[in-house]
Amino acid sequence: MSQNILKTLAAIGAAFAMSAGSADAQTYPTRAVTVIVPFAAGGPTDVIARIVGEAMGKTLGQQFIIENVAGAGGTTGIAKGAAATADGYTIMMGHMGTHGAAPALYKNIKYKPDQDFEPIGIAAGTPIVIVGRNNYPAKTLQELVAKLKADGDKANEGHAGVGSVSFTTCTMFNVMAGAKPARVPYTGTGPVINDMLADKLDYACDQIVSVASQVRAGTIRGYAIATDKRSPALPDVPTTTEAGLPDYKVSAWNALFAPKGTPKDVVAKLTDALDKALSDAATRKRLEDLGGVIPEGKERGGAHLASFVKIEMDRWDKAFKAGGVMPN
Ligand code: MLT
């Protein structure tokens, strides 16, 4: 075949692929969308993914199916999501740990949070609450700090793996409190809270959405919330300022990402569906009842998330370096 014919065939092929691509984007989605949650079921990331996924599915006319892929503080599931086919049928719920803190803690992490994704948007802010088992002999935050200082590694703390939000934020808390507990890794804070309910764990630092119902029901103790103001979801839980540890202030966030190379108009449809979910009264109520903080205005969408990820990576990198915490 002559060179000219080959070139013509290649051009026809490329034009066909482009028009097929945009037709795909126009009809997207024609089947269910998988959302990888990089932690166990029942934890904050899972809960948020299920709530917004249900609403996004209604907007886009297809089901959003949750796949829990836990391990290595959330980095196993996110690495799987980053390597998935970039067609909009696999996306993932990342968070402050997987896309902010983890890169500073793992030398061989398999993805770059600011390069390997198409950001869709922040789904919810999640203030940190210091919680403990109900019968732990420390009733206030000050009593907890005193007990942890005295007990050393006789006290145990549950977290969701190195790099997770619970690990990162309790590392900060332990330093400030002078605590050196036994730190017990789990596949997510869903199982952490289950073991706390079974009196196997003393305390944890968890995102509000995973603990609000249990604290309200009185089945676990909420010592303090690490924000400036109390949460309407936990009006009886004091802020860390009220409870005597004013420098401990930290909130996490959960956000949707698609793999790098997902067509822009597909990402735009996902961003729009997330936006509609976050404006939907019933979805807002479900998130807010659990203490989730809904992003508004400029905090929504992919462009904001892209710059926010960079800020978070830098913030945690500096914080760990300042604290002498080295990557594994
Ligand atoms: C989870 O869903 O289990 C959490 O987001 C884990 C964490 O990062 O602490």
Side-chain angles (χ1 to χ4, degrees):
M1 231 182 284
S2 80
Q3 285 292 82
N4 278 348
I5 293 176
L6 278 177
K7 272 191 196 153
T8 309
L9 284 176
I12 292 169
F16 181 76
M18 275 173 68
S19 68
S22 57
D24 277 359
Q26 273 163 30
T27 54
Y28 169 87
T30 54
R31 57 188 164 86
V33 173
T34 297
V35 185
I36 295 183
V37 165
F39 294 100
T45 309
D46 182 76
V47 167
I48 293 169
R50 285 176 200 275
I51 294 174
V52 299
E54 196 182 306
M56 289 171 76
K58 278 186 195 147
T59 297
L60 291 174
Q62 292 290 341
Q63 242 196 315
F64 276 48
I65 296 169
I66 305 300
E67 185 188 350
N68 299 89
V69 184
T75 61
T76 304
I78 297 298
K80 182 175 176 186
T85 306
D87 58 4
Y89 289 97
T90 304
I91 60 174
M92 65 222 92
M93 186 67 85
H95 72 358
M96 187 200 84
T98 60
H99 284 72
L105 293 171
Y106 288 97
K107 261 190 211 139
N108 296 321
I109 192 162
K110 292 206 177 75
Y111 59 87
K112 293 195 173 62
D114 55 344
Q115 290 175 32
D116 295 338
F117 303 92
E118 307 292 347
I120 296 168
I122 295 178
T126 49
I128 298 302
V129 186
I130 304 163
V131 292
R133 69 178 155 87
N134 226 1
N135 52 4
Y136 196 53
K139 290 206 165 69
T140 63
L141 186 64
Q142 297 214 342
E143 285 177 21
L144 176 70
V145 169
K147 176 135 185 74
L148 294 178
K149 265 191 195 143
D151 281 1
D153 65 4
K154 275 192 268 158
N156 61 27
E157 170 224 320
H159 62 79
V162 173
S164 66
V165 166
S166 44
F167 175 87
T168 304
T169 57
C170 246
T171 302
M172 282 170 69
F173 171 70
N174 291 338
V175 169
M176 288 184 191
K180 292 201 164 74
R183 306 195 72 185
V184 190
Y186 286 77
T187 53
T189 52
V192 165
I193 299 304
N194 286 343
D195 267 8
M196 195 173 281
L197 289 166
D199 293 341
K200 291 182 190 156
L201 281 174
D202 297 327
Y203 75 106
C205 307
D206 200 3
Q207 297 163 73
I208 188 167
V209 292
S210 118
V211 297
S213 317
Q214 301 289 359
V215 171
R216 280 197 300 255
T219 46
I220 59 174
R221 186 172 283 143
Y223 287 108
I225 182 163
T227 43
D228 290 328
K229 286 190 187 147
R230 291 189 184 204
S231 166
L234 286 177
D236 297 333
V237 173
T239 66
T240 43
T241 302
E242 292 172 283
L245 198 63
D247 290 341
Y248 186 67
K249 290 274 159 36
V250 59
S251 279
W253 47 272
N254 286 259
L256 285 173
F257 297 85
K260 186 83 192 165
T262 304
K264 286 204 177 339
D265 28 14
V266 167
V267 177
K269 279 193 169 182
L270 288 162
T271 295
D272 177 63
L274 175 60
D275 193 50
K276 289 197 167 81
L278 297 176
S279 297
D280 168 62
T283 306
R284 291 177 72 88
K285 181 166 174 10
R286 286 176 77 190
L287 289 170
E288 285 174 345
D289 280 352
L290 296 172
V293 179
I294 296 172
E296 306 291 2
K298 284 192 204 136
E299 298 161 348
R300 292 200 187 170
H304 172 76
L305 179 55
S307 51
F308 190 55
V309 163
K310 284 188 199 296
I311 292 168
E312 285 289 90
M313 288 173 71
D314 188 51
R315 174 164 87 106
W316 287 106
D317 188 54
K318 286 192 178 124
F320 288 131
K321 282 193 178 126
V325 181
M326 293 297 159
N328 277 316

